[in-house]
Amino acid sequence: MSTRPFIAARVEEFIDRRVEGFLRALGWRERVICYTGYGTGESIRVLGRVVLVPKRARSGLGKATEDLIKRRGFRNFVSAACVRASVVISVGDQVVTTTTDRGGYIDQRVRNHGLQPGWRTVDVRSTTSRTARADVHVIADDIEFGLVSDIDDTIISTMLPRPMIAAWNSFIRDESARQSVPGMARMYADLLADHPGSPVIYISTGAWNTHGFLSRFLKRHGYPAGPMLLTDWGPTNTGWFRSGMAHKTETLLQLTRDLPNISWLLIGDDGQHDPVIYADFAHVAPEKVRAIAIRQLTPAEQVLAHGTTTVLPEEQEAAADTPWVVAPDGRGLLSGLRALLDTN
């Protein structure tokens, strides 16, 4: 069997390289976009992307135009990947050299970094870019509790994945108009207050391009800061499209390897596949799951999510030995979780 990437991936890289060369000729410059990372005293995971961006406008009108479109969804997708670009990561006195993948993404683990537990920063730069600072949550070795949270329809009302509504929300609508699910931010804050130093990891099938918007949304609505593990839309090395379910499953398994001491509270919704994914993960790694909390969508949200007013049959059949809590909002989930976690 050939080890070459799937043809669609090769075509995508060919096109990206041609676009990159054209934009460089126009004077576009490299920029490092840093995503929030995580890790332990042994190893941290540094995430980011190197892209080409146009020169900033100098006139007053140009700057006003940039500010106007900055918070529109489509602005998140106006960038060009720097394919296989050289990157230097500086952590204290340690310097690590790596390269971006074919999508321009950085995913590098740094061992023996010497950082103390808590929120820390590392420096990341490409060959010609300015130095960017990446936030990293270094989790103490004695932490044994953490939150894993879905994003779409769990903490933010997106009505995904209906194509027309998803396109409107992602590309056109002003991000300040997006709504937070009632009570969820308070629930996360209260749970983490009960477990100081514990992490929250946000997992979504959304594109990495939306990371900036999501970070601002979390801050605006009072959600605790934490790494977001998103995905790259488009062809993979094995097929035309990547699987959202596979992305979440693989991410959960990766967390068990990166943060082996933590048992997770898994939080999602019943609009798509979260109950099935979480139940399967709890079956495979029961010692890594403290409990499962599922937000119930309203009938209207169910219709927008998958076309029917009720929960999908496979979601209804999901089962695990791990304790479950189900409620329509954060207040109801927190009430059930308090009793459940106190009992455990």
Side-chain angles (χ1 to χ4, degrees), residues 51-335:
V51 299
L52 289 177
V53 295
K55 295 180 180 179
R56 288 191 59 84
R58 295 184 178 181
S59 68
L61 179 60
K63 292 179 180 179
T65 302
E66 284 187 351
D67 292 339
L68 176 64
I69 68 174
K70 181 178 180 181
R71 295 183 182 274
R72 293 288 174 178
F74 69 85
R75 183 68 171 80
N76 298 320
F77 294 85
V78 182
S79 63
C82 292
V83 182
R84 318 293 181 186
S86 296
V87 174
V88 175
I89 301 172
S90 301
V91 186
D93 295 331
Q94 184 177 176
V95 176
V96 176
T97 302
T98 186
T99 58
T100 63
D101 65 11
R102 62 181 179 81
Y105 292 97
I106 304 165
D107 188 351
Q108 179 67 35
R109 283 169 173 77
V110 180
R111 300 184 180 276
N112 304 316
H113 49 76
L115 299 177
Q116 295 299 311
W119 283 97
R120 303 290 179 249
T121 59
V122 301
D123 293 338
V124 186
R125 62 178 175 83
S126 67
T127 304
T128 61
S129 74
R130 295 179 179 177
T131 298
R133 309 206 77 181
D135 292 323
V136 179
H137 188 190
V138 182
I139 302 156
D141 294 337
D142 60 350
I143 298 296
E144 298 180 344
F145 176 82
L147 307 180
V148 164
S149 173
D150 177 50
I151 295 178
D152 303 327
D153 291 324
T154 299
I155 64 174
I156 178 174
S157 297
T158 59
M159 306 304 186
L160 292 170
R162 299 292 282 183
M164 294 303 295
I165 297 176
W168 177 264
N169 282 338
S170 297
F171 293 96
I172 305 300
R173 195 175 186 185
D174 189 316
E175 64 185 40
S176 64
R178 306 289 283 274
Q179 296 181 346
S180 174
V181 174
M184 297 300 285
R186 175 66 181 273
M187 182 185 85
Y188 289 25
D190 285 359
L191 289 172
L192 293 181
D194 292 341
H195 301 84
S198 294
V200 54
I201 309 288
Y202 299 96
I203 301 177
S204 174
T205 57
W208 279 111
N209 304 68
T210 62
H211 186 277
F213 147 66
L214 291 173
S215 296
R216 293 188 294 271
F217 177 90
L218 294 176
K219 184 177 182 179
R220 181 185 306 116
H221 292 278
Y223 286 93
M228 281 181 284
L229 304 180
L230 309 177
T231 187
D232 180 22
W233 288 358
T236 70
N237 287 334
T238 58
W240 288 99
F241 302 103
R242 61 193 66 244
S243 165
M245 290 185 67
H247 166 68
K248 287 187 175 181
T249 299
E250 292 165 3
T251 300
L252 288 170
L253 293 174
Q254 185 63 60
L255 287 176
T256 66
R257 295 188 287 268
D258 290 340
L259 305 170
N261 297 333
I262 294 181
S263 179
W264 300 94
L265 167 60
L266 306 178
I267 307 169
D269 63 83
D270 63 4
Q272 283 295 308
H273 304 293
D274 290 344
V276 173
I277 295 170
Y278 290 167
D280 289 345
F281 178 68
H283 178 73
V284 172
E287 74 284 358
K288 300 298 183 183
V289 182
R290 185 76 61 91
I292 297 173
I294 299 296
R295 183 212 164 208
Q296 295 171 307
L297 270 62
T298 65
E301 288 174 320
Q302 294 286 1
V303 170
L304 292 170
H306 50 72
T308 69
T309 59
T310 59
V311 179
L312 293 171
E314 57 266 31
E315 311 303 316
Q316 295 174 339
E317 297 171 1
D321 295 332
T322 303
W324 287 67
V325 174
V326 180
D329 55 29
R331 182 177 180 181
L333 289 174
L334 180 60
S335 177

